[in-house]
Amino acid sequence: MLSDSNHVIRVVNNAAVKMLSRIESEIRRDLPNFRADDLVGKSIDVFHKNPNHQRALLDGMKEQHSAKFTLGGVQLAFMATPIFKEDGELDGVIVEWRDERSAQRELLREEIEKMAIAHNEGMIETYIDLDRFDVETAETARLVNEMVKNHIATKKRIIAVTEEFGKGNFDVELEQFSGQRAFINVAVEKVRERFKAVVGEISRLSDSIVDGRLDVSVNRDGFQGEYLDIVNSFDRAFSSLNQSFNTIAAQVDQVGQTVSQMNDASQSLAENSQITSASVDEVSASAEETDAQVKANAEAARNADTLVNAASKVAEEGSRKVDSMVGAMQDINASSSDIAKIIKVIDEIAFQTNLLALNAAVEAARAGQHGRGFAVVAQEVRNLAGRSAKAARETSDLIESATDRVGAGVRIANETSEAFEKIVSDIEQVKTLVQEINSASEEQSRGVAQINQAIGEVAKTALSTSQQADELSATAQQMTAATTHMTKEIQRFRLREVKPQTEFGATALDQLSPELLQQIQMMMAAGAMPAAAPAKPNGALNGKVNGNGKVKSGDHDERGFEMF
């Protein structure tokens, strides 16, 4: 709106007319004479219950002014902008109006739009912010939030039931929805019914398998889509089981006949193996006695060789020690000669000392009273010289006697050394003979050990063959019992009638080729083996062919011991 300086409305634009027209009835509750289409030329007093207050406010206006007031329950906001003349006097006022209730509705629309966008993006916990609205609009927004929450709660309850279905709980309850939401209960009950029908049919078919009733028919009524695929899969399983059990029943009969033949062959093999094992035990006992005697001879030869070697070492050591003793005797003889020379020198010194002591005594006698003490000393020196000469003579006699004895010892030692050399030579000859005896004994022991080992291998193989024959017989008996049990178990099932199939292939024993059956019979009869195997022909593998060049079953030894 635009009013002049006298506050007379001069211009009202279309937007203001439309806004005031929408709320005209509410405004006329407080201003009965108000008309939105008849404002131009009217005073602004038409908007106010107390015009004087508004006029005083407008007359004193110096700047833009905003305010709110309520008419007929409608809150209006305005912003008045003064227009001044060149001299500063008020020329007019421009007034902009806003219906606060429309603004709330626009804000509510924006909030709802934002909430809708957030929900489309998956943020389903987004709601309208009630704090941005007045009381009336906030109540409307609250109702919208409640509506959205109720829809989400309904979906969550449906999803919770679906999750229980996924866990196998098909008896979970779902509340009865009111009004047009009742279609949800109808849909959930249909799903529950289909789930229970599939589970019931699967349980019925599974129980039929447990009870051996493979002749039951699958009920396909009411099943569609993948539920029908599940039921058809069970039907195919029943058909396959029927085919398999029919085939197994036929095979069990053939296996029973074959096991009976195997049992007879294993008993014959066990008897022959016992005879062979007894013969091998006798040969093995003789070989063990021979082996023990040869080992005893070899042990005695080894002991004799050890003793001769020890005696040879002792003789050599004695010879070396006698040589050392001869050398020591010779050194003693040489030392004795040197000691005799030294003793002669000591004897001469004692003689000279005696002469000097005698001269000293003569001189002391001449000196009279003054030489008496010196005479005593000279006498003692003379006595010592005499004792030294006597000792030197006695030592010289002993050394001469020892030298004679040492010479005799050297002669005896030389004779002993010659005797030891002869003993060593004789022992060397005995040692050579004993070594030859020891070598021959060891060679015999190795030969007998190889023979004993070969017989042991034969005995082990005979025992193994006997054990295998017993195991084969036990296995055949177990197979007979298992075949009987399988027959009883198969007869427990009631099967559908199956048409014979010519393209089944040679899986039954009666459908095998004559050549293959002959080979199987040869393998079964392999227990009837000869007590002694014939010699192998040139170029044949060890123990794999007989004298006629035909392949023979049994155990073989790569070392050339032929068949066992």
Side-chain angles (χ1 to χ4, degrees), residues 224-514:
Q224 298 177 354
E226 294 188 3
Y227 291 155
L228 183 59
D229 292 340
I230 294 174
V231 175
N232 289 333
S233 296
F234 262 87
D235 187 56
R236 290 193 296 273
F238 269 72
S239 298
S240 178
L241 286 174
N242 272 273
Q243 183 67 47
S244 298
F245 273 101
N246 278 287
T247 303
I248 291 172
Q251 293 292 335
V252 166
D253 293 338
Q254 294 292 334
V255 171
Q257 297 176 8
T258 304
V259 168
S260 178
Q261 297 177 2
M262 184 185 298
N263 193 11
D264 296 338
S266 62
Q267 291 178 357
S268 176
L269 177 61
E271 293 175 358
N272 293 332
S273 297
Q274 291 176 357
I275 296 173
T276 303
S277 178
S279 301
V280 171
D281 289 339
E282 294 178 358
V283 176
S284 178
S286 300
E288 288 178 356
E289 292 178 359
T290 304
D291 184 40
Q293 294 175 358
V294 172
K295 286 182 178 179
N297 293 336
E299 183 67 23
R302 282 194 295 271
N303 293 335
D305 183 60
T306 302
L307 293 175
V308 169
N309 288 331
S312 175
K313 291 180 181 179
V314 171
E316 291 177 355
E317 185 68 20
S319 178
R320 287 194 296 271
K321 289 182 179 180
V322 169
D323 292 339
S324 299
M325 183 179 68
V326 171
M329 290 291 185
Q330 291 176 354
D331 293 339
I332 293 172
N333 192 15
S335 298
S336 298
S337 299
D338 294 337
I339 292 172
K341 294 178 181 179
I342 294 171
I343 293 300
K344 288 181 179 180
V345 172
I346 294 173
D347 189 29
E348 290 176 359
I349 292 172
F351 179 75
Q352 293 294 332
T353 302
N354 187 26
L355 290 177
L356 290 174
L358 182 61
N359 291 330
V362 173
E363 293 296 330
R366 289 179 181 177
Q369 186 66 26
H370 297 287
R372 183 176 301 172
F374 186 74
V376 174
V377 174
Q379 183 63 34
E380 289 299 325
V381 170
R382 185 177 179 186
N383 291 336
L384 290 174
R387 291 168 61 188
S388 298
K390 182 179 180 181
R393 285 192 299 273
E394 291 176 355
T395 303
S396 176
D397 293 339
L398 290 174
I399 289 173
E400 288 179 357
S401 177
T403 300
D404 295 338
R405 293 177 181 176
V406 168
V410 169
R411 288 192 300 274
I412 294 172
N414 289 329
E415 294 175 356
T416 303
S417 177
E418 293 176 356
F420 267 104
E421 289 178 355
K422 186 176 181 180
I423 291 171
V424 169
S425 177
D426 294 340
I427 289 176
E428 286 295 330
Q429 294 179 2
V430 174
K431 180 179 178 181
T432 301
L433 295 175
V434 171
Q435 286 179 348
E436 291 177 356
I437 295 171
N438 185 29
S439 176
S441 297
E442 289 181 351
E443 192 68 27
Q444 290 177 357
S445 178
R446 283 194 295 270
V448 173
Q450 290 179 356
I451 295 172
N452 194 27
Q453 181 179 2
I455 294 175
E457 293 292 337
V458 172
K460 185 187 298 183
T461 306
L463 179 60
S464 176
T465 303
S466 179
Q467 292 175 349
Q468 290 176 1
D470 293 338
E471 292 176 358
L472 180 60
S473 179
T475 302
Q477 294 177 0
Q478 293 177 358
M479 291 179 66
T480 301
T483 303
T484 303
H485 180 71
M486 289 174 61
T487 303
K488 292 180 179 179
E489 187 67 21
I490 292 172
Q491 290 175 352
R492 185 176 67 87
F493 288 89
R494 290 181 291 174
L495 306 177
R496 299 176 183 175
E497 184 178 357
V498 178
K499 296 180 180 180
Q501 299 179 356
T502 56
E503 67 277 9
F504 185 72
T507 56
L509 293 180
D510 57 354
Q511 294 176 312
L512 296 177
S513 63

Side-chain angles (χ1 to χ4, degrees), residues 107-126:
L107 181 60
L108 179 60
R109 187 192 66 79
E110 293 177 357
E111 285 291 317
I112 292 174
E113 183 179 357
K114 289 197 307 184
M115 182 177 67
I117 294 174
H119 279 244
N120 288 335
E121 292 177 352
M123 308 298 293
I124 62 173
E125 298 294 335
T126 303

Side-chain angles (χ1 to χ4, degrees), residues 14 32 45 66 177 181 329 358-359 423 520 534:
N14 292 330
D45 295 339
S66 298
F177 294 109
R181 295 188 301 167
M329 290 291 185
L358 182 61
N359 291 330
I423 291 171
I520 293 175

